[in-house]
Amino acid sequence: MAQILDGKALSQTLRNEIGEKTAHLKQTRGIQPGLGLLLVGDNPASQVYVSSKAKACEELGFYSVIIRQPADTSEGAVLRQVQEWNADPRIHGILVQLPLPKHIDEHKVLLAVAPQKDVDGFHPENVGRLVAGLPCFAPCTPAGVMEILSRYNIETKGKHAVVVGRSNIVGKPMANLLYQKAPNANAIVTICHTAAPDLTVFTKQADILVAAVGVPEALKGADMKDGVVVIDVGINRIADPTAPKGTRLVGDVHFASASERASAITPVPGGVGPMTIAMLMQNTYRSAAGEVY
Ligand code: GUN
């Protein structure tokens, strides 16, 4: 049976570590890490994510502020809020929750965030730094995956990592982190996506398989080789008449069949998801402590 990579427990360990470092930062340098969270519109999932991020700030002793703007807010109003935080010394991290309403140019908004406060790692400056192997804020979800791999002592050097998905938030930065010439990286990386006539040609070769497909239970055990390490980035709510709420959460991997093939696997929920918030806290701490820029 596969080892369960428990992101929930690991995220708690990380949060404890960050909490201790935060207390030390306050004591020695009088700095309290601060995070600005901007939520535009009323996407229910985004509301849950933003509240969880604010709650994590509170637990760790960070300063945080949530600004909510209506779905019909103007692009100018969003940009003004970002600029206000760029200039605010209490704010070390700025997070604009995505997706934004269609009439707002996402690229323009992400470009407005000062790279020094871009704790999501979405600004082209940080994207470029990541690719170049320079100090940067790495996007939180793939950074959380790297943390799982290293803390569970999973060898990545020389291993074939296959990333399924090419989004700016997960797939692209994931591939870049995995092949960096750095300790706990150094993997041989294949990135594949929906244009592949047959994804399983690639997934079957993976020593480490990262699924960020966005389709519930898309990858099955039969698509994997024995001993694979499976990292499931998907979070999908599907109908389940037998569940108390009538729905349940599943990943992009079919867990039961994959765990028969895998040597280790992240569950959903309780795998990659909780790590994302822990890494956001880590990035915000690193910004406040001046560890990146
Ligand atoms: N929407 C989905 N994932 C993310 C994320 O990591 N950061 C932000 N800002 N929005 C998201």
Side-chain angles (χ1 to χ4, degrees), residues 121 209 275:
L209 179 62
M275 293 299 290

Side-chain angles (χ1 to χ4, degrees), residues 21-277:
K21 288 198 291 185
T22 299
H24 187 72
L25 188 68
K26 275 187 204 164
Q27 256 171 18
T28 56
R29 293 166 59 194
I31 300 171
Q32 179 184 27
L35 179 63
L37 297 152
L38 179 57
L39 175 60
V40 182
D42 40 25
N43 180 316
S46 291
Q47 291 185 26
V48 173
Y49 291 140
V50 166
S51 307
S52 312
K53 290 166 184 175
K55 193 163 155 255
C57 284
E58 199 177 318
E59 272 174 37
L60 296 185
F62 287 17
Y63 166 71
S64 76
V65 48
I66 303 181
I67 297 288
R68 293 183 173 82
Q69 293 187 355
D72 63 355
T73 196
S74 68
E75 189 175 274
V78 170
L79 291 171
R80 274 193 297 281
Q81 182 58 57
V82 169
Q83 279 148 6
E84 190 182 312
W85 281 336
N86 282 343
D88 185 341
R90 292 170 303 177
I91 296 291
H92 304 95
I94 297 172
L95 185 140
V96 180
Q97 187 64 33
L98 303 179
L100 288 169
K102 295 230 178 328
H103 68 280
I104 296 174
D105 182 344
E106 190 173 291
H107 179 66
K108 204 165 163 184
V109 173
L110 297 180
L111 207 54
V113 175
Q116 297 81 358
K117 298 191 178 188
D118 171 38
V119 289
D120 254 333
F122 294 163
H123 189 287
E125 164 104 19
N126 280 307
V127 177
R129 283 171 170 253
L130 173 62
V131 173
L134 296 169
C136 67
F137 293 112
C140 302
T141 298
V145 172
M146 297 308 287
E147 201 69 30
I148 291 175
L149 293 172
S150 77
R151 301 248 180 168
Y152 273 95
N153 293 312
I154 291 168
E155 181 66 86
T156 49
K157 185 178 176 182
K159 299 293 179 188
H160 187 189
V162 175
V163 179
V164 190
R166 56 176 155 180
S167 70
N168 291 334
I169 296 183
V170 182
K172 287 182 206 169
M174 186 76 257
N176 276 286
L177 285 166
L178 282 162
Y179 70 61
Q180 286 299 319
K181 195 168 185 176
N184 304 312
N186 243 322
I188 316 303
V189 178
T190 296
I191 182 159
C192 57
H193 47 78
T194 45
D198 181 2
L199 277 175
T200 69
V201 170
F202 303 99
T203 59
K204 281 177 180 164
Q205 297 178 43
D207 299 314
I208 298 167
L209 179 62
V210 182
V213 198
V215 179
E217 302 180 316
L219 303 180
K220 325 267 189 229
D223 307 329
M224 303 166 196
K225 71 176 181 186
D226 280 332
V228 61
V229 173
V230 176
I231 304 290
D232 189 351
V233 179
I235 302 179
N236 312 285
R237 189 167 287 285
I238 61 164
D240 178 358
T242 67
K245 286 185 189 163
T247 64
R248 72 190 158 96
L249 289 179
V250 297
D252 291 352
V253 168
H254 185 261
F255 185 84
S257 60
S259 53
E260 281 174 17
R261 282 279 164 96
S263 58
I265 186 167
T266 60
V268 176
V272 175
M275 293 299 290
T276 299
I277 295 185

